[in-house]
Amino acid sequence: MEQGSPHATRVTIERLGHRGDGIAAGPVYVPGALPGEVVEGAVQSGVIAAPRIVTPSTDRVAAPCRHAKACGGCQLQHASDDFVAGWKVDVIRRALSAQGLETELRPIATSPSQSRRRAAFSARRTKKGALAGFHRKASDVVVAVPDCILVTPALAAALPLVEALAVLGASRKGELSVLVTDCASGLDVAVSGGKPLDTALRADLAALAQDHGLSRLTWDDETLAFKPAFQSFDGIDVVPPPGAFLQATEAGEQTLRAGVNAALESCTHLVDLFAGCGTFALPLAKRARVHAVEGEAAMVRALDQGWRQAQGLRHVTHEARDLFRNPLLPDELKRFDGVVIDPPRAGAEAQIAEIASARVPKIAHVSCNPVTFARDCATLVAAGYRLDWVMPVDQFRWSTHVEVVSALSLQD
């Protein structure tokens, strides 16, 4: 660490942290900096909040989105695609290494720009109308993002709709949260944080939904306008409940599904744990019997309806069950020759232990958190499984998040 210009400190960035900030010795955190760069600026509480890049990295690029400096939606637009891909693969490699695991790391699959099919917009009423977009970096200030290159064109074009919702139903002091999902039948919109519904507001919102051709509009827990808000899982139509979990991009979903299929290629009787609305369970039923387990009853009902209306699927059974508090036990698991597990970020420590005890032959493990993924894989490896391969999947382009799909097999 050196003194640069008066009142400024000069540092060399050694690595990126898990939030995408550059980290120098000290540690000193420098948002927007890359490894190898020399930067300077005032250090306050261990952070250079407004750095000047003295020596830029060869991996530094001009941000492709004009909103990148203000918007907090992306953390890594200043880095080349190759750098971001390599960094994300290294995040997974380090997580595995910390658990003593080594395996084949397949090439990363990165979703294209303008492919994110769901976005949580924020909106506030203003004196002249409303402002909708994403939050400014490290702030609750809303920044308009009319040319966002992350989301699908249909979502980018939804900002006037979000503003109109705020004009109708946001309080002057509160912030409206508007979750917009792109689906085949139009936009699926779920709003929270707005005014309580009354007769006039219901009528206004229903008219707005009709004018904008929405497939569904949900205000807190009440659905005001509805036509089937379909999502297609490998050609199988499902209507998820409002706000239900959905893979972020179609490309990412297809990559994860292909990985799950490859991991369970020889299996004929499968259990899908944390099954959601059937992202994996329903396509797998084209060739195998499947039992789907999910904690949210509304998602299970959507999965069941999708199965009943589809053609050519094998038998799919299901249950609503909290797999954290009540995991499937070995005597329930032993009838299956393959498991799909796609838990939330916390992982599935209790359920993984029961799978290990049951010794199910094949496992397809999907995860959005490399740290808990590696922890759970280590439990399985200690119980006699081999981690055959891991494939990084980047559905959250220009962010610090990365997902994986992997194959594990029981060793004799």
Side-chain angles (χ1 to χ4, degrees), residues 134-142:
F134 297 128
H135 285 141
R136 186 181 294 275
K137 296 179 188 295
S139 169
D140 61 358
V141 174
V142 177

Side-chain angles (χ1 to χ4, degrees), residues 263-278:
L264 303 174
E265 186 176 11
S266 61
C267 302
T268 59
H269 195 190
L270 301 167
V271 60
D272 184 359
L273 304 173
F274 303 95
C277 296

